[in-house]
Amino acid sequence: MAETQKHPASGPRPAPVTTGERVPTVVVDDVHITYTVHGARTGRGSATSALSQLASRRAAPGARKVHAVKGVSFAAYKGEAIGLIGSNGSGKSTLLKAIAGLLPPTRGHVHTQGQPSLLGVNAALMGDLTGERNVVLGGLAMGMTREQIRERYDEIVEFSGINEKGDFITLPMRTYSSGMGARLRFSIAAAKSHDVLLIDEALSTGDAKFQRRSKDRIKELRAEAGTVFLVSHSNKSITETCDRVLWLEAGTLRMDGPAEEVVAAYAAHTGKK
């Protein structure tokens, strides 16, 4: 594997070796992610108390460690669409951030081929700017040139559907609904090919027409030799979009296999279809 990104917990580690015709794009090797959650502090004298604790290097009251991902290992390959399912707090979004290089593992390693793009982060949009301006800035953040953005601008706006009920693309993003913002983010991200595209709940926004367009575009991205990861609470979206599913529960990888098989096991476990 020609490794261009590596997110180790500490120290160098050799990149995995490619075997056969399957080309790995992501290798997650025994990854653990732990972070600290600080409780809110209120009341008179709290600033003085905080300064005293900082000076004495004592842990703040209410702070607790969260072991969000626990020893997860898997390899993803070019052309795969992989769904991540699990209950709230199971570690799905945390794992995506680690793959994107935004959250370093506490232990273990993440190897990636090319630059992963996490939808909604790489295409970060600004509320006070118009949708039109955000398309340009979002496209640049995704690694597109200005010429490429100009060539694909109309396609991006049309795909998002935000102008179907008015000229919203000329209005500030803060006037958009959350669904409109999510659709524009997906449209910007989907305007270019990606080595690895990470999508967190984007397909739950918009009407059925937009969801169909989104699923079709994901198929095209896979055909362009990319790898797509999709986090969703919709089992239907997962089975329609993905051919492989990772089931995370309490930070551990409970099951990894064909989409319909894993989703069926998850549905039986939770009682939800």
Side-chain angles (χ1 to χ4, degrees):
M1 178 177 183
E3 181 186 356
T4 57
Q5 297 287 324
K6 178 165 58 181
H7 316 302
S10 62
R13 186 183 181 108
V17 177
T18 301
T19 58
E21 294 183 357
R22 300 188 76 196
V23 179
T25 54
V26 176
V27 175
V28 174
D29 182 11
D30 191 29
V31 163
H32 293 256
I33 299 174
T34 303
Y35 55 83
T36 303
V37 176
H38 297 277
R41 302 202 48 181
T42 58
R44 184 176 297 176
S46 61
T48 302
S49 176
L51 181 60
S52 175
Q53 288 179 9
L54 180 62
S56 62
R57 297 183 180 276
R58 295 199 307 268
R64 61 190 179 92
K65 293 284 187 180
V66 176
H67 198 169
V69 176
K70 306 171 183 176
V72 171
S73 297
F74 66 88
Y77 299 87
K78 283 188 177 182
E80 284 191 314
I82 301 174
L84 273 70
I85 61 175
S87 56
N88 289 333
S90 61
K92 304 182 299 294
S93 296
T94 301
L95 183 59
L96 283 195
K97 290 177 182 177
I99 295 172
L102 302 173
L103 191 59
T106 309
R107 199 165 82 232
H109 300 79
V110 177
H111 304 273
T112 63
Q113 174 74 36
Q115 176 60 52
S117 298
L118 179 58
L119 179 60
V121 175
N122 296 68
L125 307 186
M126 303 181 66
D128 288 335
L129 299 182
T130 65
E132 186 176 31
R133 184 60 180 159
N134 271 295
V135 169
V136 176
L137 295 180
L140 292 173
M142 298 298 295
M144 299 167 64
T145 66
R146 290 185 179 275
E147 183 178 356
Q148 288 174 326
I149 296 169
R150 284 194 296 271
E151 292 173 351
R152 302 173 192 178
Y153 175 83
D154 290 339
E155 178 185 341
I156 291 170
V157 176
E158 182 180 358
F159 189 98
S160 71
I162 62 174
N163 265 6
E164 291 179 353
K165 296 183 180 180
D167 192 20
F168 284 99
I169 197 67
T170 62
L171 298 179
M173 279 285 299
R174 56 182 163 75
T175 65
Y176 292 10
S177 67
S178 59
M180 290 170 67
R183 295 202 305 274
L184 188 57
R185 286 186 181 90
F186 182 88
S187 302
I188 294 168
K192 69 182 290 284
S193 298
H194 302 268
D195 296 309
V196 179
L197 179 61
L198 311 161
I199 305 171
D200 197 344
E201 285 292 347
L203 300 189
S204 63
T205 64
D207 55 19
K209 180 180 177 182
F210 179 78
Q211 291 181 23
R212 284 195 301 271
R213 288 202 301 262
S214 300
K215 291 169 185 175
D216 288 343
R217 180 56 183 145
I218 287 176
K219 291 178 182 177
E220 292 174 1
L221 290 170
R222 291 173 58 193
E224 293 165 4
T227 304
V228 177
F229 286 85
L230 172 65
V231 169
S232 178
H233 287 286
S234 169
N235 290 348
K236 186 173 184 289
S237 291
I238 290 288
T239 53
E240 289 180 351
T241 308
C242 304
D243 46 20
R244 175 184 172 191
V245 168
L246 308 178
W247 172 11
L248 292 177
E249 206 62 59
T252 63
L253 182 57
R254 181 156 181 168
M255 192 173 181
D256 175 1
E260 292 189 1
E261 181 180 324
V262 178
V263 168
Y266 176 68
H269 174 76
T270 60
K272 298 178 181 180
K273 296 183 178 180

